[in-house]
Amino acid sequence: MSIGQGNPAILACVGSDGVEFALPSITPGQVHGIERFGAGDCPTFTDALMRYAAMHGLSLRDSRLFMSIAGAVNGTTVRTTNGRWFISMSGLRAVTGGEPIVLNDVAATAWATADCPKAVPFGSALDQARSEKGRHAIISAWRGGLGAACVDRRDGFLKIIESEAGHTPFAVQSEDDWAMAKACIARHGDLSYEHILFDLMDGHSLHRPLAGSELEEMFATLLGRYSAAVTLTFTAWDGIYLCGWAFERIASRHLEPVFRAAFEGKGKLRLLLQQTPSQLFQTRNGSLSGLSIYYNRTRSG
């Protein structure tokens, strides 16, 4: 696919409570014209899109739409996780006159790690070179959700692998885990790392009271175990990029060693995980930045 110089793009990062729009800059990864519209202020996503185009003097019939969605992307109608908008792909095609490009929000953020992103060590030595040429995972943990994607460069070209790994089943390793698992099933009807971690984030005690340093260490431990499961699933031995409020919280409390101990604690696979570097990827507009990179690559491809 090739996008001509005279065919502008609108970038849209759609979350549970609204959308953030931007325009791509000439420099891949950079954006401008950021505007946010709340779902409570616009009855539909299309309404928000038309308002943004009008604000910037853009014709939707002449623009390409690149979107990231906080949720599973499949089928003709998409709804964001816990969101109120139902987004019709056929409706967007009718408005824009073209095919919208739709990515999962974590996959869009993975594109932001495609062009030598800046990162800092997170409990292990920084190994930027390996991550820039091999196969790495990106793990996102915000208050609104947990997710993962993979960036693969091993065959001489860049490939982003999407997933719904936030719903990875919680792995029981102890009697305490079993009690936590039963409480999670009773509360939510199923069992996943996302449910357990976000109950902890929101201050819910699933099976017994947790507070202070014990709560913080449990939080870091469970994210370490989840990150190991993602790494093993993707065989992302060249590194993991960690982004979002949850990982920044661990770093602010200097609990990276607790995270790494849980991450590496996988028996016979321990050596592989010990050699897998973890890095904190700090970004405010990860999905928009990734969409900008993706747009610029398709534009010149």
Side-chain angles (χ1 to χ4, degrees):
M1 177 175 56
S2 179
I3 301 173
Q5 293 286 335
N7 198 353
I10 296 175
L11 313 178
C13 177
V14 188
S16 60
D17 59 353
V19 58
E20 200 165 50
F21 290 109
L23 302 173
S25 298
I26 295 175
T27 303
Q30 295 186 10
V31 299
H32 65 280
I34 297 176
E35 303 284 353
R36 191 182 188 287
F37 296 85
D41 300 323
C42 299
T44 66
F45 169 78
T46 302
D47 180 62
L49 175 63
M50 294 174 68
R51 290 191 195 185
Y52 182 78
M55 288 174 65
H56 290 269
L58 299 171
S59 167
L60 288 177
R61 302 293 293 184
D62 297 323
S63 301
R64 295 297 306 274
L65 180 60
F66 287 72
M67 303 170 58
S68 70
I69 301 286
V73 178
N74 188 31
T76 58
T77 302
V78 177
R79 184 185 182 186
T80 58
T81 302
N82 300 321
R84 62 190 299 177
W85 284 338
F86 288 85
I87 303 174
S88 166
M89 295 299 106
S90 61
L92 288 180
R93 284 193 291 270
V95 170
T96 64
E99 187 69 31
I101 306 300
V102 186
L103 303 177
N104 171 272
D105 62 331
V106 186
T109 304
W111 275 102
T113 71
D115 288 348
C116 307
K118 294 180 180 179
V120 296
F122 191 89
S124 68
L126 184 64
D127 197 344
Q128 193 84 19
R130 278 177 62 190
S131 293
E132 288 175 2
K133 64 183 180 182
R135 180 184 179 98
H136 72 258
I138 179 163
I139 301 169
S140 173
W142 302 86
R143 280 192 177 275
L146 186 67
C150 182
V151 179
D152 191 354
R153 300 181 183 83
R154 295 178 304 174
D155 296 325
F157 63 92
L158 178 66
K159 182 179 181 181
I160 305 294
I161 304 169
E162 297 188 14
S163 81
E164 280 297 317
H167 301 286
T168 298
F170 176 66
V172 174
Q173 298 182 9
S174 66
E175 290 294 330
D176 197 50
D177 284 353
W178 178 232
M180 190 186 305
K182 289 189 290 185
C184 181
I185 292 171
R187 180 187 290 269
H188 298 287
D190 63 7
L191 177 64
S192 70
Y193 275 102
E194 185 169 73
H195 282 322
I196 287 179
L197 281 164
F198 286 101
D199 277 343
L200 288 174
M201 285 186 193
D202 293 336
H204 298 302
S205 295
L206 283 174
H207 62 308
R208 62 183 175 84
L210 290 170
S213 61
E214 185 184 21
L215 174 61
E216 299 293 346
E217 289 183 10
M218 174 68 78
F219 189 71
T221 295
L222 293 179
L223 269 175
R225 286 165 54 181
Y226 169 73
S227 298
V230 169
T231 302
L232 295 173
T233 299
F234 286 130
T235 61
W237 312 127
D238 295 312
I240 54 174
Y241 284 92
L242 311 170
C243 70
W245 171 86
F247 293 111
E248 292 173 4
R249 172 174 164 176
I250 290 174
S252 70
R253 287 156 174 75
H254 309 291
L255 290 173
E256 297 96 323
V258 175
F259 170 90
R260 284 297 303 193
F263 176 78
E264 296 171 7
K266 289 291 181 181
K268 63 182 180 181
L269 297 173
R270 182 180 182 87
L271 183 60
L272 282 170
L273 291 168
Q274 284 178 330
Q275 296 172 351
T276 302
S278 50
Q279 304 168 43
L280 183 62
F281 177 51
Q282 297 172 303
T283 176
R284 283 196 58 189
N285 298 304
S287 291
L288 289 176
S289 176
L291 289 173
S292 172
I293 290 173
Y294 184 61
Y295 162 71
N296 277 280
R297 282 178 177 265
T298 57
R299 186 185 186 197
S300 59

